[in-house]
Structures are given as structure tokens and as C-alpha cells.
Amino acid sequence: MAQETIFSKIIRREIPADIVFQDDKVTAFRDISPQAPTHILIIPNKLIPTINDITEQDETLLGHMMIVAAKIANQEGIDESGYRLIMNCNKDAGQEVFHIHMHLLGGKNLGRLIG
Ligand code: 5GP
């Protein structure tokens, strides 16, 4: 049984977060420590600890996360200027919260991804 994280409490609105979108499948909220003018986390409401735990049953859910990300980018006015979506998996990628999440970053030139 996967261990709940603080993100489950955010989904259930038990702790405060700046939620910008929520439906029956996903929740999106502003990162508490933004690395860009727009920094939003898009997470499934269902607890999946890492990308390694995604199954084929989650295919539609993952596609929905991407569609929601594009809609939020449009709402934020960064769809044309550009943005970056990042998902970290485990230690070497620096994953800190073990409830998968997609970072949506934009609002400035983000530079090169690596190096
Ligand atoms: P990771 O490094 O796991 O990919 O990213 C975790 C992200 O979650 C970090 O960018 C961190 O700032 C954010 N985060 C951690 N705890 C909280 C929280 O309680 N509220 C919000 N809004 N963001 C959080």
C-alpha cells in the first residue's frame, strides 16, 4: 500500500494550496517554491508514487494530465510564449514527493533543459 503524501491532503483540501484546476481525475495547484513566474503542479487524484508505478490502466489519466496542462498554460497566457513540462522519477531526478506530478513552468525564458 503506497504511503500518502501531503499532496493527498491538498487534493482533499485539508491543507491550503492555490488550486487552479480540479476535476474528478486531477488537481493542479501552484508550487509552494516557484522556480518560474508560472510554476504549477498537475497531479492525479489517485495516488501513484512514481512514474514506475504507472500501469496501462492509467493511460487515459496520463493523457488527461497533459490536456489539463495545455489548458492551464493557455489560462496563464504562456501557451504562445512557451513552457516546459517536467516529471521527476526517483533519486537521480530529484523527486521529493512520492505522488507523481507534472511541473508546468513558464513565464520566462527557461534556458536549456540540461547543462
Ligand atoms: P519534485 O522534486 O518531487 O519533482 O517536486 C516536488 C515539488 O512539490 C517541489 O517543487 C516543491 O516545491 C513542491 N511542494 C512540496 N510540498 C508542497 C506543498 O505543501 N505545497 C505546494 N504547493 N507545493 C509543494
Side-chain angles (χ1 to χ4, degrees):
M1 188 68 182
Q3 196 73 12
E4 274 197 0
T5 73
I6 197 145
F7 287 0
S8 291
K9 291 190 167 65
I10 289 175
I11 292 163
R12 295 195 296 263
R13 296 175 185 252
E14 290 170 5
I15 62 161
D18 188 354
I19 294 176
V20 298
F21 178 88
Q22 188 167 45
D23 65 12
D24 59 328
K25 298 185 197 70
V26 306
T27 301
F29 51 96
R30 293 189 195 281
D31 196 290
I32 203 166
S33 177
Q35 304 299 307
T38 292
H39 187 173
I40 290 167
L41 302 174
I42 298 136
I43 71 175
N45 293 340
K46 166 188 170 184
L47 170 54
I48 304 172
T50 78
I51 296 173
N52 295 335
D53 301 304
I54 293 169
T55 71
E56 287 187 9
Q57 289 177 335
D58 300 318
E59 210 169 302
T60 306
L61 175 61
L62 269 290
H64 186 62
M65 284 170 66
M66 196 72 95
I67 288 166
V68 167
K71 281 185 180 157
I72 294 172
N74 175 266
Q75 276 172 29
E76 293 284 312
I78 58 170
D79 51 337
E80 293 301 325
S81 53
Y83 55 94
R84 183 172 289 155
L85 299 176
I86 298 174
M87 291 182 79
N88 294 319
C89 183
N90 280 336
K91 185 164 52 73
D92 279 358
Q95 184 177 2
E96 289 173 353
V97 181
F98 287 84
H99 182 137
I100 62 164
H101 46 280
M102 189 180 280
H103 296 257
L104 164 59
L105 295 148
K108 69 171 186 181
N109 188 315
L110 296 166
R112 289 161 56 93
L113 180 58
I114 297 168

